[in-house]
Amino acid sequence: IKGISNFIDSYIVILTSVDKRLNHIIKSKHDVLKLFNNDLNRDLLFILISSLPGDQINSLFIYIQQFFPEDLSCFSFLALEVEYERIG
């Protein structure tokens, strides 16, 4: 039971940290860019994207693909090259 308690305690610490960091973002959308300037906060980008609804994630990726280089290569988690096609 002590192991489960320690796990829950560490999970609460992580959630509290994420909550504080996301509340900082919510205060001002202009602070988001400043936040990513710090290497320690780069993981917030993943947290931010993963909290978006699916249709917004799709829209985001359709929008940002125009900024990808033409010779971009994609690889699967097994390090196999994956063919992709630009949309639009």
Side-chain angles (χ1 to χ4, degrees), residues 13-53:
V13 169
I14 292 169
L15 289 177
T16 302
S17 174
V18 168
D19 182 52
K20 287 179 184 176
R21 293 165 83 184
L22 288 177
N23 282 331
H24 179 73
I25 291 173
I26 292 170
K27 289 180 186 175
S28 170
K29 63 183 175 183
H30 299 291
D31 287 340
V32 173
L33 295 177
K34 291 179 191 173
L35 208 56
F36 293 131
N37 287 335
N38 182 343
D39 285 344
L40 295 175
N41 293 323
R42 298 264 168 123
D43 60 330
L44 276 179
L45 181 60
F46 172 76
I47 293 170
L48 214 60
I49 291 172
S50 65
S51 65
L52 292 172

